[in-house]
Amino acid sequence: MKKLFAATVVMAGCLFGTAHAADIEKPECIAPAKPGGGFDLTCRVAQAGVGDKLGDPMQVTFMPGGIGAVAITLFNTTRTDDPNAIVAFSSGSLLNIATGKYGEWTENDVRFLATVGADFGAVIVRADSEYKTLDDLMNKIKEDEGSLAIGAGGSVGSQDWMKAALLLKSVDRDPRKMIYVAYDGGGDALTGLLGGSIDVYTGDIGEMTAHLGTGELRVLAVMSPERLDEPFADIPTTKELGYDAEWTIMRGFYMGKNVDDEAYDKWVAAFKEAYGTEEFAKIQKDKGLLPLNIAGKDLDDNVKERIKKLREIAKEAGLIQ
């Protein structure tokens, strides 16, 4: 991994330099991808909703490569103590850490800072499905992991696969034995569900907004830690139904592991101040994000526990040694 990204890291280090002071002089958000994707969106939310809390306008810088690998390498070599820069991450980044796709770098090599919102996993069936409740579905899975066709937009080991794996693991069943159908995206998976090619779709609750009230689909549960607000308030969570199968599609930021506490705490305070404003809530909504406002040690602890669980599932499923 080091050899692969060495040249990029050196160039990026020369371009941006390394700051050592605790003062946040030129706030910068690193989007570890090309413009236009989820990391770009994540940085734009911070730029619009948090930038003015730091005094100077926030700059967005793009750093594509390895779906975050180049960025995490840079912030473990050249910019480990930069107080000005934050790096966007997602649940996909956490999965990459858990499965070793960032090489030697782990969750202990950065300081997780704050979130800007989230989406959540959902367990979805057709409206005419014989599975009226999540208990109905899970009882079938308990009988035989391979009795249902579960599909989603992603291959084995992807985020959507992990949602299904968590469901099976919550009732002590082996994810390797499930029938999993991989689609190119959520839209194709929904088409497969409606057409009868699969029995269950492990998608995202955010994408269900357009389907509520159509009479075509039934959301058995949302994989959020707590019940969501309208229009999802009537949907139970997997947790309240007794299944340890939470999946948060988290969007947030980390900093270099050697950033001092003073600078880190300034960033945390800026995010917490933003969380309390109507402006930030509107920005989240406009960007299609659901509220998930966690910062500082609470987030760092949350992420590390989440990665630990992902790593355990990946090992049990034979994805990693």
Side-chain angles (χ1 to χ4, degrees):
M1 181 65 70
K2 278 187 175 180
K3 291 181 179 179
L4 182 60
F5 299 119
T8 304
V9 169
V10 171
M11 290 176 64
C14 292
L15 178 60
F16 298 112
T18 303
H20 298 280
D23 292 336
I24 302 170
E25 299 173 345
K26 296 180 179 179
E28 177 186 11
C29 186
I30 306 293
K34 295 179 180 179
F39 289 137
D40 187 356
L41 179 149
T42 305
C43 279
R44 297 302 176 186
V45 174
Q47 185 183 48
V50 183
D52 62 344
K53 309 294 186 294
L54 297 166
D56 294 319
M58 184 181 294
Q59 174 186 343
V60 176
T61 303
F62 298 98
M63 195 176 294
I67 316 175
V70 166
I72 199 170
T73 298
L74 177 66
F75 278 78
N76 272 284
T77 51
T78 306
R79 301 179 71 176
T80 64
D81 60 351
D82 189 342
N84 294 310
I86 60 177
V87 184
F89 78 86
S90 69
S91 297
S93 310
L94 306 186
L95 187 55
N96 284 342
I97 291 174
T99 54
K101 292 183 179 178
Y102 289 162
E104 65 188 279
W105 313 124
T106 74
E107 63 272 26
N108 298 314
D109 293 313
V110 298
R111 299 189 74 176
F112 291 98
L113 175 68
T115 59
V116 290
D119 201 348
F120 300 94
V123 187
I124 304 153
V125 296
R126 292 186 306 278
D128 62 356
S129 171
E130 62 182 284
Y131 308 108
K132 307 300 182 186
T133 67
L134 185 61
D135 283 336
D136 292 341
L137 182 70
M138 299 309 289
N139 287 335
K140 186 67 174 178
I141 288 174
K142 288 178 187 177
E143 292 175 9
D144 180 5
E145 299 99 316
S147 61
L148 295 172
I150 303 175
S155 60
V156 171
S158 67
Q159 291 196 65
D160 285 351
W161 179 89
M162 277 288 182
K163 297 172 199 171
L166 279 168
L167 286 171
L168 269 69
K169 189 174 182 294
S170 73
V171 290
D172 297 321
R173 294 299 181 267
D174 188 350
R176 292 173 294 183
K177 295 182 179 179
M178 71 173 163
I179 298 174
Y180 179 79
V181 182
Y183 290 90
D184 287 338
D188 287 344
L190 276 172
T191 299
L193 178 67
L194 292 170
S197 299
I198 56 175
D199 301 298
V200 187
Y201 170 44
T202 48
D204 301 337
I205 193 64
E207 64 187 330
M208 289 297 101
T209 304
H211 297 277
L212 295 178
T214 64
E216 294 181 324
L217 300 170
R218 180 186 301 120
V219 182
L220 300 181
V222 60
M223 302 173 78
S224 57
E226 299 176 351
R227 284 223 183 184
L228 303 177
D229 294 331
E230 294 292 348
F232 309 115
D234 293 334
I235 302 172
T237 70
T238 46
K239 181 178 179 180
E240 73 181 77
L241 295 174
Y243 303 99
D244 184 17
E246 178 190 327
W247 189 267
T248 303
I249 299 98
M250 182 182 288
R251 295 202 174 279
F253 309 94
Y254 66 78
M255 300 185 75
K257 63 181 176 183
N258 295 326
V259 170
D260 64 41
D261 290 341
E262 182 181 351
Y264 179 81
D265 290 344
K266 284 182 180 179
W267 279 99
V268 170
F271 274 94
K272 287 185 175 180
E273 181 183 349
Y275 293 160
T277 66
E278 292 183 4
E279 177 192 12
F280 189 80
K282 183 178 186 304
I283 293 169
Q284 281 181 320
K285 185 175 181 180
D286 290 346
K287 296 295 185 182
L289 297 174
L290 294 166
L292 179 72
N293 302 329
I294 315 174
K297 187 177 184 301
D298 288 343
L299 176 64
D300 198 71
D301 291 344
N302 179 299
V303 167
K304 287 176 179 175
E305 183 60 33
R306 194 178 299 273
I307 291 174
K308 179 182 176 182
K309 182 176 289 187
L310 288 174
R311 194 172 281 124
E312 290 172 356
I313 295 171
K315 285 180 180 179
E316 290 177 8
L319 299 177
I320 59 175
Q321 297 298 315

